[in-house]
Structures are given as C-alpha cells and as structure tokens.
Amino acid sequence: MEIENNSFHPGDIAYVIIRNPHVQGAANVQQAAVVNNPERPNELALFIYETYYPLSEEIAIYQTEHEAETAFQQAFGDAEVEGYYG
C-alpha cells in the first residue's frame, strides 16, 4: 500500500497485518500506534510489541480495523472455512 505523507500523524492508531516470527504461516491483524521515530525524529514509526518499526511502503498499514481484516481475508482466506490450513 502506498503511504501518503499526510495519511498518518503521531498519536494515530493504525492496523497492520503482521506475521508471527515463531510460527511460519501464522499472521494476524494488530493494532499499532503511530509515533515519531526515536532514531529519526523527522520520520514516523509504528510502535508494536514494544518495538519501533519505521513507517514505510513495505508495511501493510490500514486506517481502520475493517480495512485490515478485509485485506487479511483476501490474502489468507477464512480460517473458519473447512480445508483451510494456513
């Protein structure tokens, strides 16, 4: 997703699709805080799981939980559907 400079501001809540680093193939929608990047004060970062992630086009970020859940379903399918394994 292309990130516009004015889309997010410090203090905003955003939603991202994040993979579990310990379980290959497991991902979920996670709420994140948009903050000033402590390493680069003129840039924004996401604060998730007590870690800062620079806000970049490499991160699937959404303004609403509904948008994130819809994208998640499109990418990973519905876990409730029979025959879904991942």
Side-chain angles (χ1 to χ4, degrees):
M1 136 173 239
E2 185 174 325
I3 298 173
E4 296 178 23
N5 291 337
N6 297 325
S7 295
F8 295 97
H9 302 13
D12 287 349
I13 297 299
Y15 297 87
V16 297
I17 298 173
I18 191 165
R19 289 190 177 269
N20 183 330
H22 305 292
V23 181
Q24 190 172 7
N28 65 321
V29 172
Q30 177 65 45
Q31 187 179 54
V34 178
V35 298
N36 288 316
N37 188 334
E39 295 176 7
R40 296 182 179 180
N42 295 328
E43 296 180 11
L44 295 177
L46 293 172
F47 188 65
I48 309 167
Y49 299 129
E50 299 183 23
T51 303
Y52 293 95
Y53 296 92
L55 193 58
S56 73
E57 291 184 13
E58 296 176 4
I59 298 175
I61 182 171
Y62 304 91
Q63 292 183 328
T64 68
E65 186 174 15
H66 177 72
E67 289 174 330
E69 291 289 349
T70 300
F72 180 88
Q73 293 300 324
Q74 290 174 348
F76 297 99
D78 188 351
E80 311 258 334
V81 174
E82 187 176 332
Y84 175 78
Y85 297 105

